[in-house]
């Protein structure tokens, strides 16, 4: 490197260092101000550093006053234009950041999840992923800002869905408290009346009154047990003790236990299980699932109807189905069947024709909780003369064989 080149580098570096130092001082003073001034400051430091270097070298070159003026005018004009462009870009960046700030404010706003003026934003949020827009605000600056806007729109959707689930759960809890209170108050009032009749000697058939009191007590005990079981499932404290189980044995036990009730109601109960089907599950939990589904099917099947419990292995899944003759469920209610406290009937008064009366609408909610705890899935559909409840569980694929009749 020649001496002239070294001198040029030193002059340019000296001017740039001096301007950069002043820029750092200015940046510290402006650190709490708008981003606009920070961005303009970067452009000013860059342009002025070049301008100082050019003017310094022009003086060292002993240019004439005319030439020096030309160089100065050209450099100053270029610096002015550059600073103007930086102002425009800085204003745009500030505007984009303000738009993002407005979108952030909409997340968790007072009106649900969306802000008060964002009724349309929820509908447009889904389109943000494909078009690079968030809500209804349109494109927001460079790619990084657009990506952030899309993430904000996605977060708003997730929060909205979480809020809806929370509200649905809260409504379900309120309904459950109301329904359980009613279902407990009814047998308590009946037992009080029968007890007073027995104490006053007004009971025409004391033995029947005692049997009825015992039946109501059993019903309340089952309801309290269901509530306790459901609370354990929802709290995550229900412990699974999985072990290899024969589905044929489980269905046989469930059918044998429910067959007397089915005969009393005039319902034909049949088990139809493929030979060799096995599943890894908690014995008590899966037995509870089958019992709840079978008893529910019997309860809602008309006299002379038929309830079929079937099971088969499909690849790595075991499917257990309970089909009844309930006449079907309204399409609007199919999604609510497994909700806590849901019952098909409108009346809340227990049916005396049924042993122990009706429950509190907790059985199917317990079924779903236990099945999902096994990493399985339960669903319902209208099929034939009634409904078909299908439980899908991870299992040990068996060798399909001749279906064996369990009972009926």
């Amino acid at each position: 490197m020649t001496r002239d080149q070294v001198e040029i580098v030193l002059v340019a570096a000296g001017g740039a260092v001096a301007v950069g130092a002043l820029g750092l001082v200015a940046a510290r003073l402006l650190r709490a101000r708008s981003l606009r001034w920070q961005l303009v400051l970067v452009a000013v430091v860059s342009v002025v550093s070049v301008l100082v270097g050019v003017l310094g070298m022009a003086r060292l070159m002993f240019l004439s006053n005319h030439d020096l003026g030309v160089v100065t005018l050209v450099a100053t004009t270029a610096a002015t234009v550059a600073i103007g462009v930086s102002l425009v870009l800085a204003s745009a960046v500030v505007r984009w950041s303000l738009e993002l700030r407005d979108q952030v404010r909409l997340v968790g706003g007072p009106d649900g999840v969306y802000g008060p003026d964002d009724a349309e934003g929820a509908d447009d949020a889904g389109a943000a992923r494909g078009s690079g827009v968030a809500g209804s605000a349109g494109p927001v600056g460079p790619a990084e800002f657009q990506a952030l806007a899309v993430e904000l729109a996605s977060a708003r959707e997730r929060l909205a869905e979480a809020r809806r689930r929370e509200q649905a759960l809260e409504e379900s809890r309120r309904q459950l408290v109301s329904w359980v209170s009613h279902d407990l108050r009814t047998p308590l009032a009946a037992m009080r009346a029968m007890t007073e009749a027995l104490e006053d000697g007004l009971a025409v058939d004391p033995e029947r009154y005692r049997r009825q009191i015992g039946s109501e007590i059993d019903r309340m005990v089952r309801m309290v047990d269901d509530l306790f079981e459901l609370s354990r499932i929802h709290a995550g404290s229900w412990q699974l003790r999985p072990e290899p189980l024969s589905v044929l044995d489980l269905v046989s036990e469930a059918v044998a236990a429910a067959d007397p009730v089915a005969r009393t109601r005039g319902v034909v109960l049949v088990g139809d299980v493929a030979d060799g089907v096995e599943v890894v599950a908690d014995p008590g939990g899966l037995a509870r699932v089958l019992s709840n589904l079978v008893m529910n099917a019997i309860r809602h099947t008309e006299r002379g109807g038929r309830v079929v419990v079937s099971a088969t292995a499909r690849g790595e899944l075991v499917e257990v189905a309970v089909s009844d003759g309930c006449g079907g469920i309204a399409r609007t209610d199919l999604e609510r069947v497994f909700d806590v406290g849901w019952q098909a009937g409108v009346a809340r008064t227990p049916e005396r024709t049924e042993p122990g009366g009706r429950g509190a609408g907790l059985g199917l909610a317990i079924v779903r909780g236990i099945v999902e705890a096994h990493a399985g899935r339960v669903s319902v559909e209208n099929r034939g003369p009634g409904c078909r409840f299908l439980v899908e569980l991870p299992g040990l694929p068996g060798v399909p064989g001749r279906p064996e009749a369990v009972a009926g």
Side-chain angles (χ1 to χ4, degrees), residues 19-20 22-24 26-27 30 34-50 82-83 86-87 90:
V19 174
L22 293 176
L24 291 176
L30 297 174
S34 171
L35 180 63
R36 176 187 293 109
W37 305 116
Q38 303 285 343
L39 295 175
V40 171
L41 180 62
V42 172
V44 169
V45 169
S46 302
V47 171
V48 173
S49 297
V50 175
I83 293 174
S86 69
L87 279 171

Side-chain angles (χ1 to χ4, degrees), residues 155-296:
R156 287 168 56 192
E157 287 183 345
R158 293 194 296 269
L159 286 173
E161 181 62 27
R163 179 66 61 84
R164 286 191 289 268
R165 287 198 301 268
E166 180 184 354
Q167 291 174 345
L169 287 174
E170 184 60 30
E171 180 63 23
S172 176
R173 292 189 189 99
R174 287 197 296 267
Q175 291 180 356
L176 176 62
V177 171
S178 175
W179 291 343
V180 171
S181 299
H182 186 284
D183 285 342
L184 288 176
R185 185 166 55 246
T186 300
L188 286 173
M191 285 190 295
R192 172 180 288 182
M194 288 185 287
T195 302
E196 292 175 351
L198 289 172
E199 290 178 349
D200 297 339
L202 301 178
V204 178
D205 187 354
E207 187 59 30
R208 183 175 69 84
Y209 275 36
R210 293 189 183 95
R211 288 197 303 270
Q212 187 63 43
I213 291 174
S215 177
E216 296 291 358
I217 291 174
D218 291 341
R219 176 174 176 268
M220 287 192 294
V221 168
R222 288 197 302 272
M223 190 183 305
V224 172
D225 289 343
D226 285 348
L227 285 171
F228 178 68
E229 192 78 4
L230 194 61
S231 66
R232 290 174 59 204
I233 292 173
H234 286 174
S237 60
W238 191 73
Q239 297 295 324
L240 281 176
R241 295 178 176 82
E243 59 183 69
L245 301 172
S246 168
V247 178
L248 176 63
D249 293 342
L250 289 169
V251 173
S252 299
E253 294 173 1
V255 169
D259 190 59
V261 179
R263 293 180 184 276
T264 300
R265 294 184 61 90
V267 175
V268 178
L269 179 60
V270 177
D272 190 23
V273 182
D275 189 20
V277 179
E278 292 187 346
V279 66
V280 177
D282 181 86
L286 194 52
R288 181 69 179 274
V289 167
L290 289 174
S291 175
N292 285 5
L293 290 177
V294 171
M295 292 302 297
N296 182 73

